[in-house]
Amino acid sequence: MSVFVIKFMNNQAVAVARPHPQAPPSTGVVMTIHAEAGIPDSKPNISPVWAQFAQRLSSVLQGLLEDQYLVISAKQSNLYIQFAGQGFYGLLMETISNQYLSETEQLDDSQIDMLVYLGWNKPTDDLEAEKNEQGPDGSPNFYINNPKPVSFDAVAELTVKTFSQVHKIPHPGYLEYDAFDSDDNIFTVPGLGLKQATKHPSNHKKMRQDLLRTIRGFTGISDLKYDQNGNIGIRSGSVVTFIRYKEKPPSIRFHSPLVSEVKEGPELFARLNELNSRIGCMHFFHRNYTIVAISDIPAAPFNARHVLQSLKTFSSIADGLDEVLAVEFGGKTAFGKPVSTIIKQ
């Protein structure tokens, strides 16, 4: 089962024939090893089946719209590569890091070295860097920001190398996909030639209990409860962060209303687009006169340490950014007084 993924499938995709699960772990890729470095050649001979998949993927990614997401994952595994359409700002791609992998799937040093060698940026976890005035350019996963014009063929080739060389996936038939937009609307991508993921039902009641227990332990508030909307609300500095469990897909959402009483306008939308481009682990939007920040993480398998680390990152970015946006665009923060805008709308 993939991470994040799950968001979405209705089984209308076309499935390709795949090898038997017990097939030998041949990657279908012939690699040349540099003896002095121990690193595979950057231009291995890709077997036709992977090359054909790369062509299909390149075509699909060219049609990915802003705020649409495509997640390709190994079946019955947490290994995935995900793509986020960012409109004018190009394409963000991520592949899972050890932070979200179980002990049995942890990447070893050679796999991490190979990811970096292929061009992936290492995960960022410096919370202070997330808060500085330049803004973060990172993710808790391995990531690459592909600005326009995006070389979709190069992105597809990197995807193939990551699955086949790093994760040792023997054939594209071992992969499945999820596709959805920022409003959780599911769509199909038959041109990809993969099966659309079908997720097994989770024990939602237990997930909610585990999440509440984790937040209670973190805050020290033993009588903390879900509100009538299914949220757990906690204060972090100048912001309120709401935490909720989502069934479809099984995921945990952090969301925070940063600034209220803000009118829409081109400067605001440009600023939010810029934040979305630079802060890969969060999404910012304007709705009902309020600037809102959200972030989703996978709920299964539940890992309290990962939940709390993600919550700290989210709250750390939100706390401080709310006041910056209030100064820029006016409005009112959760615990502050209304601020006059310095930007003419």
Side-chain angles (χ1 to χ4, degrees), residues 102-145:
S102 64
E103 291 185 5
T104 58
E105 289 191 308
Q106 289 282 298
L107 304 173
D108 60 30
D109 290 343
S110 65
Q111 289 174 297
I112 293 174
D113 289 344
M114 186 61 185
L115 286 170
V116 175
Y117 180 80
L118 289 174
W120 291 97
N121 296 304
K122 288 185 176 181
T124 55
D125 55 8
D126 186 347
L127 298 185
E128 290 306 313
E130 300 283 6
K131 293 175 65 177
N132 69 36
E133 61 181 8
Q134 297 301 319
D137 182 16
S139 166
N141 290 315
F142 292 91
Y143 71 97
I144 298 176
N145 282 306

Side-chain angles (χ1 to χ4, degrees), residues 5 55 80 85-86 119 126 138 145 176 228 277 316:
V5 266
Q55 291 177 352
Y80 70 86
Q86 296 188 314
D126 186 347
N145 282 306
E176 61 187 6
Q228 60 183 6
S277 174
S316 177

Side-chain angles (χ1 to χ4, degrees), residues 159-229:
T159 300
V160 165
K161 289 180 179 179
T162 301
F163 276 129
S164 62
Q165 297 181 29
V166 179
H167 298 314
K168 308 301 181 185
I169 305 299
H171 187 282
Y174 281 98
L175 303 176
E176 61 187 6
Y177 81 91
D178 293 312
F180 52 94
D181 62 22
S182 57
D183 292 323
D184 291 349
N185 297 311
I186 300 166
F187 61 93
T188 60
V189 189
L192 192 58
L194 298 180
K195 180 181 179 181
Q196 199 165 19
T198 302
K199 301 304 170 184
H200 300 289
S202 300
N203 186 335
H204 300 304
K205 181 178 180 180
K206 183 178 185 302
M207 287 286 192
R208 289 191 181 90
Q209 292 173 341
D210 289 344
L211 177 59
L212 181 59
R213 186 183 304 111
T214 298
I215 303 303
R216 282 177 173 175
F218 174 64
T219 61
I221 304 174
S222 59
D223 59 349
L224 194 66
K225 297 179 180 179
Y226 288 100
D227 64 21
Q228 60 183 6
N229 297 317

Side-chain angles (χ1 to χ4, degrees), residues 222-280:
S222 59
D223 59 349
L224 194 66
K225 297 179 180 179
Y226 288 100
D227 64 21
Q228 60 183 6
N229 297 317
N231 294 315
I232 306 170
I234 62 173
R235 177 172 180 172
S236 178
S238 61
V239 299
V240 175
T241 297
F242 295 98
I243 308 130
R244 68 181 302 149
Y245 173 76
K246 298 176 59 183
E247 294 185 3
K248 297 181 180 180
S251 57
I252 297 168
R253 168 164 289 183
F254 308 114
H255 71 278
S256 178
L258 300 180
V259 190
S260 60
E261 301 178 12
V262 179
K263 295 181 180 180
E264 65 181 32
E267 293 90 353
L268 174 62
F269 294 145
R271 180 72 159 113
L272 296 181
N273 283 337
E274 181 258 342
L275 288 172
N276 288 326
S277 174
R278 293 192 291 110
I279 306 181

Side-chain angles (χ1 to χ4, degrees), residues 31-41:
M31 293 184 291
T32 301
I33 303 297
H34 295 305
E36 69 276 13
I39 296 292
D41 194 320

